[in-house]
């Protein structure tokens, strides 16, 4: 017994000595670590906001050091950040950071997290005139707070919390947010990161003038990601996934409800080679109902392959340099402006574009589909590109060299079109079941008949199908081969016939 007590006493003394020594070491290292973190954070903010026309930075105001802890004060400043539709945001808010020195910070010991760490940061948004309303909506809690652990090996683990917020305004507008938990882990250089977050509920009610109120309800939000930096600046590989269990929108004079059970966005970016990247974005829309009636499901998958990373970076920088010109044209409702370039800039631009096209990139809508109770319609499209002999070729020759192959297929389900016709009839208030059934049956058959008469599609069983394949200057349209010029004349004739004047 005495031997056990002696061992435990020795262990306690060893831990106490380690804590004291570690705390002293952390205190000495802390100013340099904080400065390095600020430099990295500001660099990442600059990259992230480059397309907004504004800026954001973090500045350390003060650092008060003690033996086992330190207190840092920061200012987060944003200037003229364009958030869309002409709205610009600027703010200047304070953040307080209570830093516990390692190796055994008390907050981790209390949570039985006994792995030694260099420090634990407990940061919260400060209350001032700019944030007072946000604090009030959050029940006087800190609306945003985070606890971050820094391991001796450089690992970083952050627990970020958005507090629940409830706001009811006199004009009827309201907001009810359950709050959100987000965990982020990675290395201190930001080259690898994983994150997972979830929020239970977000409800917003908007009232405008004499219009009926509109209510937006989101439930069961989840976000997950795993990203790795590459040798190419600002290009990461990995996945980012978003999911919503339920989306509900109530609007209009009759307060009709659009309900979506299951909404997903899955993004994957990969390395196709030492200097090439690829990616895919998938959208899934679950069961859709409108005004209590089933509508269907939707799915879209878009992919990009063999994109030269250095060329993509260079063209992105060119776009960012001319972003003000594009934004000015968009704000004035004008088309994309013709950018004036001198000979040197034009040569660089065409060189980067040639490098991008030389990798033979491919863009594809692999699947765009909509499914109802009795049928499913699909569309796919793929385009292969290549570098032309010269960018100064006539437009028709340039396009033939730029686009080497095109494949597409559209398949419209006649039963699906019948389902949509039935839904429209019911929403219009029709009650004659026999008339609705006849209208539904005729909808798909009419489209099939028009397709055959026009030559734009064929009928295969219950599907109206149109296919196109272009390669080597020839077009195969629904099984008929022709030149590009002949195909253009055919489309022009069909469009003229379908126009009101025709």
């Amino acid at each position: 017994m005495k031997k056990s007590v002696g061992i435990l006493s020795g262990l306690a003394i060893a831990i106490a000595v380690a804590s004291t020594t570690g705390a002293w070491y952390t205190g000495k290292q802390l100013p340099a670590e904080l400065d390095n973190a600020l430099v990295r954070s500001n660099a990442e903010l600059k990259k992230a906001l480059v397309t907004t026309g504004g800026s954001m930075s973090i500045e350390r105001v003060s650092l008060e050091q003690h033996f086992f802890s330190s207190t840092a004060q920061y200012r987060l400043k944003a200037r003229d950040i364009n958030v869309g539709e002409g709205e610009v945001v600027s703010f200047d808010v304070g953040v307080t950071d209570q830093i516990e020195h390692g190796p055994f910070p008390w907050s981790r010991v209390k949570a039985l997290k006994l792995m030694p760490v260099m420090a634990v940061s407990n940061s919260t948004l400060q209350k001032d005139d700019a944030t007072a309303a946000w604090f009030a909506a959050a029940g006087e809690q800190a609306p945003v707070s985070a606890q971050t652990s820094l391991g001796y090996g450089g690992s970083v683990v952050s627990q970020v919390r958005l507090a629940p917020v409830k706001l009811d305004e006199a004009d009827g507008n309201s907001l009810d947010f359950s709050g959100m938990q987000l965990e982020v882990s990675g290395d201190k250089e930001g080259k690898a990161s994983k994150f997972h977050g979830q929020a239970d509920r977000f409800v917003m009610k908007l009232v405008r003038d004499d219009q009926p109120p509109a209510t937006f309800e989101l439930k069961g939000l989840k976000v997950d990601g795993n990203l790795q930096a590459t040798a190419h600046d600002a290009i990461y590989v990995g996945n980012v996934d978003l999911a919503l269990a339920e989306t509900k929108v109530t609007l209009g004079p009759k307060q009709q409800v659009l309900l979506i059970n299951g909404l997903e966005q899955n993004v994957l970016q990969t390395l196709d080679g030492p200097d090439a990247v690829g990616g895919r974005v998938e959208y899934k829309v679950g069961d859709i109902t409108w005004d209590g009636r089933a509508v269907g499901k939707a799915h879209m998958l878009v992919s990009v392959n063999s994109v030269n990373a250095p060329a993509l970076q260079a063209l992105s920088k060119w776009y960012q340099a001319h972003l003000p010109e594009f934004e000015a044209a968009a704000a004035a409702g004008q088309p994309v402006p013709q950018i004036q370039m001198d000979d040197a800039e034009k040569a660089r631009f065409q060189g980067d574009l040639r490098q991008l096209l030389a990798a033979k990139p491919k863009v594809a809508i692999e699947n765009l589909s909509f499914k109802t109770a009795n049928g499913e319609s699909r569309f796919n499209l793929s385009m292969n590109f290549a570098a032309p002999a010269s960018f100064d070729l006539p437009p028709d020759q340039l396009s033939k060299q730029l686009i080497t192959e095109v494949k597409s297929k559209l398949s419209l389900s006649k039963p699906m079109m019948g389902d949509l016709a039935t839904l429209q009839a019911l929403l219009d208030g029709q009650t004659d079941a026999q008339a609705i059934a006849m209208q539904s049956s005729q909808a798909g058959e009419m489209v099939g008949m028009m397709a055959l008469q026009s030559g734009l599609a064929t009928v295969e069983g219950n599907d109206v199908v149109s296919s196109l394949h272009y390669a080597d200057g020839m077009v195969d349209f629904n099984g008929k081969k022709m030149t590009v010029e002949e195909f253009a004349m055919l489309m022009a004739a069909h469009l003229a016939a379908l126009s009101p004047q025709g």
Side-chain angles (χ1 to χ4, degrees):
M1 184 70 174
K2 290 182 179 179
K3 184 176 181 181
S4 299
V5 171
I7 291 173
L8 291 174
S9 299
L11 181 60
I13 292 171
I15 292 176
V17 171
S19 298
T20 303
T21 304
W24 175 84
Y25 173 78
T26 300
K28 291 293 185 181
Q29 295 290 106
L30 189 60
E33 288 290 335
L34 292 180
D35 289 341
N36 290 334
L38 285 177
V39 170
R40 292 193 299 270
S41 297
N42 285 325
E44 291 300 319
L45 286 172
K46 185 176 180 180
K47 293 177 187 177
L49 299 174
V50 71
T51 60
T52 67
S55 65
M56 185 182 295
S57 63
I58 307 174
E59 300 174 6
R60 193 178 82 211
V61 178
S62 64
L63 176 62
E64 182 182 342
Q65 290 187 274
H66 305 287
F67 198 82
F68 288 101
S69 66
S70 298
T71 301
Q73 305 286 346
Y74 301 95
R75 300 300 299 181
L76 177 60
K77 299 180 180 181
R79 294 288 180 270
D80 303 327
I81 296 178
N82 188 347
V83 294
E85 298 184 356
E87 186 176 353
V88 176
V89 172
S90 297
F91 58 80
D92 183 343
V93 296
V95 176
T96 298
D97 190 4
Q98 301 290 347
I99 303 168
E100 302 174 76
H101 300 177
F104 300 107
W106 179 238
S107 62
R108 287 177 59 86
V109 173
K110 288 192 299 183
L112 299 179
K113 297 178 180 180
L114 302 180
M115 181 67 69
V117 295
M118 181 179 289
V120 169
S121 161
N122 300 279
S123 53
T124 57
L125 187 69
Q126 294 176 1
K127 183 178 180 180
D128 54 26
D129 292 342
T131 61
W134 197 359
F135 270 81
E140 297 304 329
Q141 301 181 67
V144 183
S145 59
Q147 184 180 78
T148 302
S149 299
L150 175 62
Y152 284 102
S155 63
V156 179
V157 179
S158 293
Q159 303 282 347
V160 182
R161 177 179 180 267
L162 300 182
V165 171
K166 192 166 186 178
L167 180 65
D168 293 295
E169 297 183 345
D171 57 6
N173 291 306
S174 64
L175 175 67
D176 186 358
F177 177 46
S178 63
M180 183 174 184
Q181 301 287 340
L182 180 65
E183 180 176 308
V184 183
S185 61
D187 58 29
K188 66 178 182 179
E189 300 295 333
K191 293 182 178 180
S193 63
K194 294 182 180 180
F195 52 90
H196 170 75
Q198 60 183 34
D200 293 332
R201 185 187 72 262
F202 177 89
V203 183
M204 181 171 63
K205 183 178 181 180
L206 297 177
V207 180
R208 291 290 181 270
D209 301 327
D210 297 329
Q211 299 296 319
T215 305
F216 303 86
E217 301 178 51
L218 309 178
K219 294 182 180 179
L221 170 67
K222 291 185 178 181
V223 55
D224 293 277
N226 187 351
L227 298 174
Q228 298 282 337
T230 66
H232 310 288
D233 185 38
I235 294 181
Y236 289 78
V237 295
N239 67 285
V240 177
D241 303 318
L242 295 172
L244 269 174
E246 182 181 289
T247 305
K248 183 178 179 182
V249 182
T250 306
L251 69 168
K254 298 180 180 180
Q255 290 292 276
Q256 294 171 297
V257 175
L258 170 66
L259 182 63
I260 301 174
N261 286 312
L263 182 64
E264 296 181 31
Q265 175 186 288
N266 303 301
V267 180
L268 176 66
Q269 188 156 303
T270 60
L271 281 176
D272 292 345
D275 287 330
V277 294
R280 53 188 287 166
V281 182
E282 184 175 26
Y283 299 94
K284 295 179 182 179
V285 181
D287 294 321
I288 307 170
T289 62
W290 171 252
D291 204 21
R293 301 187 183 278
V295 178
K297 302 179 179 181
H299 179 233
M300 183 169 74
L301 176 60
V302 180
S303 65
V304 180
N305 295 299
S306 300
V307 179
N308 183 273
L312 177 63
Q313 288 176 294
L315 291 171
S316 297
K317 290 179 181 177
W318 177 89
Y319 171 78
Q320 292 160 10
H322 293 283
L323 183 61
E325 297 170 67
F326 293 120
E327 290 182 335
Q334 298 176 352
V336 177
Q338 186 73 29
I339 302 299
Q340 299 297 321
M341 294 185 282
D342 58 28
D343 292 342
E345 184 181 4
K346 183 178 179 181
R348 284 194 303 271
F349 176 82
Q350 291 188 353
D352 293 330
L353 184 58
R354 182 180 300 280
Q355 185 180 4
L356 183 76
L357 294 170
K360 298 182 178 180
K362 179 180 179 180
V363 179
I365 301 174
E366 296 187 21
N367 181 43
L368 176 60
S369 61
F370 191 81
K371 184 177 182 180
T372 61
N374 295 300
E376 182 176 19
S377 295
R378 293 177 174 272
F379 173 73
N380 59 62
L381 168 69
S382 65
M383 299 180 69
N384 293 3
F385 298 87
S390 171
F391 288 104
D392 297 323
L393 293 171
D396 58 334
Q397 296 182 35
L398 180 62
S399 61
K400 287 181 180 180
Q401 294 188 23
L402 275 173
I403 304 173
T404 59
E405 186 176 21
V406 178
K407 286 184 180 180
S408 73
K409 185 175 181 180
L410 173 65
S411 179
L412 292 175
S413 166
K414 291 191 285 185
M416 186 214 75
M417 288 183 279
D419 287 342
L420 295 180
T422 298
L423 175 65
Q424 184 62 54
L426 293 171
L427 293 176
D428 288 342
Q430 297 184 34
T431 56
D432 189 329
Q434 186 174 357
I436 292 174
M438 182 178 294
Q439 181 178 334
S440 171
S441 175
Q442 290 175 346
E445 295 302 326
M446 184 178 298
V447 172
M449 182 178 65
M450 292 175 62
L452 286 174
Q453 290 178 348
S454 66
L456 293 176
T458 60
V459 176
E460 299 177 6
N462 283 327
D463 295 327
V464 179
V465 180
S466 180
S467 62
L468 180 145
H469 181 210
Y470 163 78
D472 301 322
M474 295 297 293
V475 176
D476 184 329
F477 183 56
N478 295 328
K480 297 179 181 179
K481 294 186 177 180
M482 62 194 79
T483 65
V484 175
E485 292 76 15
E486 290 171 338
F487 176 70
M489 292 175 62
L490 177 65
M491 289 296 99
H494 283 308
L495 291 174
L498 293 173
S499 68
Q501 292 80 6

